[in-house]
Amino acid sequence: QVQLVESGGGLVQPGGSLQLSCAASGITFSMYVMSWYRQAPGKERELVASISSGGTRKNYADFVKGRLTISRDNAKNTVYLQMNSLNSEDTAVYYCKADRGSLKLAYWGQGTQVTVSS
């Protein structure tokens, strides 16, 4: 059974930082591209960042502007999203996704809420 379990969300003040984690099980983690998406109330889910299976290639949405960093530890089957200089527009549910395009496999986590508010 495939599981992606996000953690690390919560309430943070503007300008603050959070680190999200997504622990995977039931897949060969090192074979999957991992991504973070987010969905704010009333908006569509959008890609935040993605990282290649080996961790050497990273892609970020334009709105990240150097504030967020994606990383992974294949030994721990975990992908991270370090978020700095948070603002109210970052408030959303953050989801991790595992993709193995060659096999057309994709899995989602259940999401973790991030709220940026004073």
Side-chain angles (χ1 to χ4, degrees), residues 6-10 12 16-22 36 69-72 78-84 86 94 112 114:
E6 299 98 335
S7 61
V12 62
S17 298
L18 282 176
Q19 185 182 60
L20 307 183
S21 300
C22 172
W36 285 97
T69 303
I70 190 170
S71 61
R72 66 190 294 161
T78 301
V79 61
Y80 305 95
L81 185 67
Q82 177 66 42
M83 304 190 295
N84 300 323
L86 289 165
Y94 285 72
T112 185
V114 171

Side-chain angles (χ1 to χ4, degrees), residues 1 5-6 12 16 21-23 27-28 33 45 53 56 58 70 78 89 93-94 96-98 101 104 106 114:
Q1 181 181 0
V5 181
E6 299 98 335
V12 62
S21 300
C22 172
I27 60 172
T28 305
V33 172
R45 192 173 297 188
S53 57
T56 56
K58 303 176 183 181
I70 190 170
T78 301
E89 294 183 348
V93 178
Y94 285 72
C96 70
K97 182 184 181 186
K104 296 183 179 180
V114 171

Side-chain angles (χ1 to χ4, degrees), residues 31-92:
M31 301 295 289
Y32 282 75
V33 172
M34 298 300 297
S35 302
W36 285 97
Y37 284 74
R38 71 184 189 184
Q39 188 167 19
K43 296 186 177 181
E44 294 187 352
R45 192 173 297 188
E46 61 183 354
L47 176 66
V48 176
S50 61
I51 185 168
S52 62
S53 57
T56 56
R57 295 187 302 276
K58 303 176 183 181
N59 291 298
Y60 295 95
D62 288 343
F63 60 76
V64 169
K65 298 180 181 178
R67 302 181 297 118
L68 279 61
T69 303
I70 190 170
S71 61
R72 66 190 294 161
D73 186 337
N74 284 350
K76 295 182 178 180
N77 289 359
T78 301
V79 61
Y80 305 95
L81 185 67
Q82 177 66 42
M83 304 190 295
N84 300 323
S85 301
L86 289 165
N87 60 64
S88 59
E89 294 183 348
D90 297 313
T91 295

Side-chain angles (χ1 to χ4, degrees), residues 1-5 23-28 32 34 98 105-109:
Q1 181 181 0
V2 178
Q3 282 192 311
L4 299 177
V5 181
S25 59
I27 60 172
T28 305
Y32 282 75
M34 298 300 297
L105 295 173
Y107 304 100
W108 289 91

